[in-house]
Amino acid sequence: MPVLVMKFGGTSVATLDRIRRVAKRVGVEVAKGYDVIVIVSAMSGKTNELVGWVNETSPLYDAREYDAVVSSGENVTAGLMALTLQEMDVPARSWQGWQVPVLTTSAHSSARIEDIPTDNINAKFAEGMRVAVVAGFQGVSAEGRITTLGRGGSDTTAVAFAAAFDAERCDIYTDVDGVYTTDPRVSEKARKLDKIAFEEMLELASLGAKVLQTRSVELAMRYKVKLRVLSSFEEQSDTAGTLVCDEEEIMESKVVAGVAFSRDEAKMTLVSVADRPGIAARIFTALSDAGVNVDMIVQNIAEEGRTDMTWSCPTIEVQRAQKAVEEAKENGTINYHEVIADVDVAKVSVVGIGMRSHTGVAAKMFQVLSAEGINIKVITTSEIKISVLIDRKYMELAVQALHDAFELEKAA
Ligand code: ASP
Ligand code: MG
């Protein structure tokens, strides 16, 4: 029988009532003839509560025990979902990660899935079980310890199961009804997309759109898993939500698919560093050793052998970055005049695969921002996106103006 993967996020399983409601949806797919693998998150708020308990008990916690505690939220929902399905006479059972087993690396709290052997679950399907309810977000390491995949990780669990079981589709049920051209809370003209290409979704997810964990999109793209994002709060239909798919499946698309933003960015500059081979390597090695996630990088034109080096990183990493460069200065690895941090910036990006073949997108973006009197601090581009760093107070304005200028409220 064809396999369907259905993933339910925290708000979709937040109460016993909601679990009953989504279980009915699972029942509908079973009645259509699918063997279903249901991936569940913890009830909403649960994982945060568990993380809080760990921090309160042990600030410098043992990461293996963090995973043991934090993975438990999903175990509860998996069992409750299986019980609910059984009450509806749907043959179902729950599986924790180690029982499948979901084999992962031992990088606790950010483990990667290495393999999902299908034998155990397939044997149960062959015996007549119709739904395997799997606890998302968790796995087991080669050392036999419980691991977790990082926050939002059950999306990745779902896509990995869809790939392993060669599922017809992977439906991600959440509290929004799909992927939008931008966040509807920022622009009321935001429009739900029927389809979006993997690469666009990947950019949007990593640029701050929070619907899907970035790694899940990466995985879906690699294994060509058809992903659908849809709401568990609305009526079921075959065309609901947004399909994340191969670009060949999208007949017509606009040059720009969406506008993404991330609020908590900071811009840091090392003023007057020596301009010679090896300096950038030393600066960014020091930052990377300190665990700073550097995003944009700009090096100014050098004058008299000195240059300024600017980068952006998440606001919460500024102190760590500052400490890293100060230490590198003290031990003589790098030399600079001063370090400046601007923590009131935001990143706004336009994304679209159409940019590969259309020119003028950057020019138009910069014109729109200039017409609004918004100063651009840093620019980066890739084949399908253009990002700018601007003052945070203009973020909403920039998003709205760009959404209007690229006419994203209209379908292609
Ligand atoms: N419950 C986990 C979290 O809140 C995993 C997930 O829901 O995707 O991050
Ligand atoms: Mg999520």
Side-chain angles (χ1 to χ4, degrees), residues 25-227:
R25 282 186 183 244
V26 176
V28 171
E29 301 295 355
V30 169
K32 285 186 198 160
Y34 287 109
D35 278 341
V36 179
I37 298 176
V38 169
I39 310 291
V40 286
S41 286
M43 290 171 156
S44 66
K46 195 71 213 174
T47 310
N48 287 342
E49 181 181 49
L50 296 169
V51 170
W53 288 349
V54 170
N55 285 323
E56 210 179 309
T57 308
S58 171
L60 293 171
Y61 53 74
D62 173 347
R64 293 162 297 193
E65 301 305 344
Y66 168 98
D67 279 353
V69 175
V70 168
S71 62
S72 66
E74 274 72 10
N75 297 344
V76 175
T77 28
L80 290 172
M81 178 69 77
L83 286 171
T84 309
L85 288 160
Q86 289 172 6
E87 287 296 321
M88 293 164 42
D89 293 325
V90 178
R93 68 157 274 193
S94 69
W95 303 79
Q96 295 184 5
W98 65 273
Q99 293 173 303
V100 175
V102 178
L103 304 171
T104 74
T105 61
S106 28
H108 285 275
S109 84
S110 59
R112 286 182 169 264
I113 297 176
E114 294 195 309
D115 193 20
I116 303 179
T118 54
D119 315 5
N120 289 339
I121 287 181
N122 275 336
K124 288 292 170 191
F125 278 140
E127 284 171 22
M129 176 189 71
R130 299 301 308 281
V131 183
V133 185
V134 178
F137 176 55
Q138 55 173 263
V140 62
S141 69
E143 292 78 28
R145 302 297 303 256
I146 304 300
T147 55
T148 62
L149 309 180
R151 299 306 304 271
S154 21
D155 292 338
T156 300
T157 307
V159 174
F161 271 80
F165 284 82
D166 203 15
E168 197 169 294
R169 219 178 45 239
C170 179
D171 286 345
I172 307 274
Y173 285 87
T174 174
D175 50 1
V176 293
D177 62 352
V179 179
Y180 278 73
T181 49
T182 196
D183 188 333
R185 284 167 299 191
V186 172
S187 171
E188 54 181 23
K189 295 184 197 157
R191 179 175 53 88
K192 183 177 81 72
L193 295 158
D194 293 331
K195 289 183 176 180
I196 187 165
F198 287 127
E199 286 183 54
E200 291 170 333
M201 191 64 235
L202 192 58
E203 289 286 4
L204 290 177
S206 57
L207 289 169
K210 296 200 177 61
V211 246
L212 288 171
Q213 198 198 32
T214 309
R215 274 168 56 200
S216 71
V217 186
E218 245 164 45
L219 209 58
M221 184 157 108
R222 173 141 24 107
Y223 293 98
K224 298 222 184 285
V225 172
K226 262 193 198 170
L227 253 185

Side-chain angles (χ1 to χ4, degrees), residues 207 260-269 293 295-296 310-318 340-349 374-379 387-396 398-399:
L207 289 169
F261 54 83
S262 92
R263 209 178 289 272
D264 297 310
E265 301 284 326
K267 172 177 159 249
M268 300 186 74
T269 302
N293 288 288
D295 177 23
M296 305 164 139
T310 298
W311 67 88
S312 72
C313 66
T315 320
I316 46 164
E317 293 175 6
V318 166
I340 302 172
D342 178 356
V343 294
D344 291 318
V345 294
K347 182 171 63 172
V348 174
S349 314
I374 300 170
N375 187 34
I376 302 171
K377 299 181 169 229
V378 181
I379 302 167
S387 300
V388 296
L389 220 52
I390 58 173
D391 275 331
R392 186 172 304 133
K393 62 179 182 231
Y394 297 127
M395 192 192 78
E396 275 85 3
V399 171

